[in-house]
Amino acid sequence: MTDNSQKTYVHDTHRLREPGQTLRIVQPFLREMGITRIANLTGLDRIGLPTVMVARPNSRSVAVSLGKGLSLQAAQASGVMEAIESWHAERVRLPQRLARYTELIAEAAVVDVDRLPRVAGAQFDPNGNMLWVEGRDLNGQSSCWVPLEMVDTDYTSAPLAGQRAFPRTTNGLASGNNVAEASCHAICELIERDATTLWSHQTTTARIDPATVDDERCQSAIEKVTTADLEIGLWNTTSDIGIASFRCVICEAGGQPGHIGIGDGCHPDRAIALLRAVTEAAQTRLTYISGARDDLDPEEFTDHAQSERCQYVRNLIDDAAPTVSFRDCPTHSTETFEGDLALLSNRLEAVGISQIVIVDLSRPEYDLSVVRAVIPGLEAPHDDADYLPGPRALQIRGEIA
């Protein structure tokens, strides 16, 4: 990863290119990737934070991706890149091996399977044949094999030559203008999901006092929510890794019924992390309002389900006093994505997580990068249906020392 990694766009996220330039570069490939429509959803809600949906009808995973940002162009770039990364992950074109773990480990570097997240109702068989895909250990700078079922997102069939022993999700899948940028976003997503899972197991969950938020962009986004007569709750979910993570929830004021929003964000720069959480919460609310996502169960749109979600968010806000200062959250700033990668690697190493495997799904014919990051030792999302707590969650719960 020695390509240019100087950040040039640092408004509502950090990128090598500004959103309009990214959109111009990917525009010629949208039809080829099955993207048929980019629709502006912003006006369906009264918050006003730009949100778009991107339709890919022949998707092998979800047919609708969503994007958000502080401008419409930023939201469009966000949604399009999410659709593009899914398209790549549905069509993995990398060296693969059909092998038993016990044989593969004897002749090649393999991801630490003992520290990978597991799923309920399954058991990994080290003597069973399965497909592995080649990635690269970011720290060791060497080839490293990971289970294909953790990378492939073609959900139209069971995992090819897989054991269904590991989560089959898009967690850690990210795109960018080059590999370093994409890798930073992928790693931050994994750290975010781990942090949110650990936070969900804690009993003390004081909220952030919005008055302590000292970033103008974040202040503006929060004000859009409150001006719309909605209530907002913010939590510092940063884990022992020390990379800023936040959760944001939105609900109707005064206990009124209505759609809720929940969002999470993680980034070395705490302001960008909080912005991601707030804009994602607004995006989630619009997802329910529009009914755009095809992976939402119809049961989620019943009056009962909506009432339960409202009560859940209402309880979160009411049960947590706003006594935490945003300024107490750690923040880091580097000028390059190589600098961010070094920072993220060092922070993970500090908590005993030393392996970061990057599976580069990029194709040479496109001027963009797509990667899947796999980091043994981090927790999977706690709200996955087949989630099993790992050692970090069990320690928070007091079930292991």
Side-chain angles (χ1 to χ4, degrees):
M1 299 182 189
T2 58
D3 49 354
N4 176 39
S5 66
Q6 187 76 29
K7 301 174 183 177
T8 61
Y9 180 82
V10 293
H11 184 47
D12 45 6
T13 185
H14 288 185
R15 294 288 185 186
L16 292 174
R17 302 169 178 142
E18 56 89 18
Q21 185 181 5
T22 297
L23 288 169
R24 288 191 294 273
I25 288 171
V26 303
Q27 182 66 40
F29 311 121
L30 299 188
R31 180 183 295 272
E32 181 180 341
M33 295 178 183
I35 296 172
T36 60
R37 185 183 181 208
I38 304 171
N40 184 0
L41 302 180
T42 312
L44 296 179
D45 197 5
R46 59 186 192 270
I47 295 176
L49 285 169
T51 301
V52 304
M53 61 164 279
V54 178
R56 193 165 57 94
N58 291 323
S59 166
R60 299 174 186 173
S61 49
V62 294
V64 172
S65 300
L66 292 144
K68 73 278 188 188
L70 294 185
S71 69
L72 183 58
Q73 271 198 336
Q76 290 170 334
S78 168
V80 165
M81 293 298 274
E82 181 178 290
I84 286 173
E85 67 197 34
S86 295
W87 183 87
H88 278 74
E90 293 166 1
R91 297 161 175 83
V92 178
R93 292 185 178 178
L94 286 172
Q96 298 173 23
R97 293 181 65 171
L98 181 66
R100 296 171 174 83
Y101 170 76
T102 50
E103 296 175 351
L104 185 60
I105 192 68
E107 57 185 76
V110 184
V111 71
D112 186 351
V113 295
D114 290 335
R115 301 186 73 186
L116 291 177
R118 301 297 172 87
V119 297
Q123 184 70 39
F124 172 62
D125 179 6
N127 294 304
N129 254 341
M130 65 184 298
L131 274 175
W132 303 78
V133 63
E134 187 176 24
R136 189 166 188 81
D137 189 327
L138 187 63
N139 293 321
Q141 292 298 317
S142 58
S143 171
C144 185
W145 295 84
V146 303
L148 177 64
E149 64 188 53
M150 291 193 71
V151 177
D152 167 59
T153 63
D154 183 351
Y155 302 149
T156 59
S157 62
L160 184 63
Q163 296 188 18
R164 302 189 186 188
F166 306 103
R168 199 176 183 213
T169 69
T170 59
N171 191 23
L173 177 65
S175 54
N177 294 287
N178 70 0
V179 173
E181 179 189 305
S183 297
C184 286
H185 288 281
I187 293 167
C188 281
E189 180 169 274
L190 289 170
I191 292 174
E192 170 201 302
R193 304 286 170 76
D194 172 86
T196 304
T197 292
L198 297 182
W199 173 82
S200 73
H201 290 292
Q202 295 175 347
T203 55
T204 55
T205 56
R207 286 186 284 130
I208 292 172
D209 180 355
T212 66
V213 176
D214 54 2
D215 180 85
E216 290 184 2
R217 297 161 297 179
C218 295
Q219 290 171 343
S220 176
I222 293 169
E223 186 178 357
K224 282 182 178 293
V225 176
T226 56
T227 301
D229 197 25
L230 295 165
E231 289 194 46
I232 188 169
L234 305 169
W235 283 265
N236 178 1
T237 60
T238 307
S239 71
D240 54 345
I241 296 170
I243 300 298
S245 297
F246 297 97
R247 165 152 283 201
C248 172
V249 302
I250 296 170
C251 68
E252 297 287 344
Q256 295 297 310
H259 292 291
I260 58 97
I262 298 178
D264 299 290
C266 174
H267 195 273
D269 181 333
R270 68 187 177 205
I272 298 297
L274 183 60
L275 265 178
R276 286 183 175 176
V278 175
T279 54
E280 185 173 278
Q283 172 187 288
T284 302
R285 182 174 147 90
L286 265 168
T287 301
Y288 283 117
I289 291 172
S290 66
R293 282 293 287 256
D294 52 304
D295 58 338
L296 291 177
D297 192 304
E299 288 294 319
E300 295 193 55
F301 291 92
T302 64
D303 290 342
H304 176 70
Q306 180 174 299
S307 176
E308 282 194 335
R309 287 196 300 269
C310 286
Q311 191 60 54
Y312 168 73
V313 169
R314 182 78 265 154
N315 290 342
L316 276 179
I317 294 175
D318 290 345
D319 293 345
T323 57
V324 174
S325 173
F326 173 70
R327 292 186 288 271
D328 290 339
C329 182
T331 191
H332 307 275
S333 176
T334 79
E335 295 183 351
T336 68
F337 288 104
E338 292 292 350
D340 280 4
L341 283 174
L343 167 69
L344 294 169
S345 178
N346 289 338
R347 295 309 308 161
L348 287 163
E349 180 76 39
V351 297
I353 297 175
S354 59
Q355 193 175 48
I356 304 171
V357 182
I358 300 296
V359 182
D360 187 357
L361 304 172
S362 313
R363 299 195 182 192
E365 62 266 37
Y366 306 130
D367 186 14
L368 54 90
S369 296
V370 176
V371 306
R372 175 64 185 264
V374 179
I375 305 180
L378 293 182
E379 291 288 322
H382 70 285
D383 51 1
D384 284 351
D386 54 5
Y387 166 72
L388 280 179
R392 285 168 61 77
L394 293 174
Q395 187 172 34
I396 289 286
R397 287 160 50 163
E399 296 182 27
I400 62 173

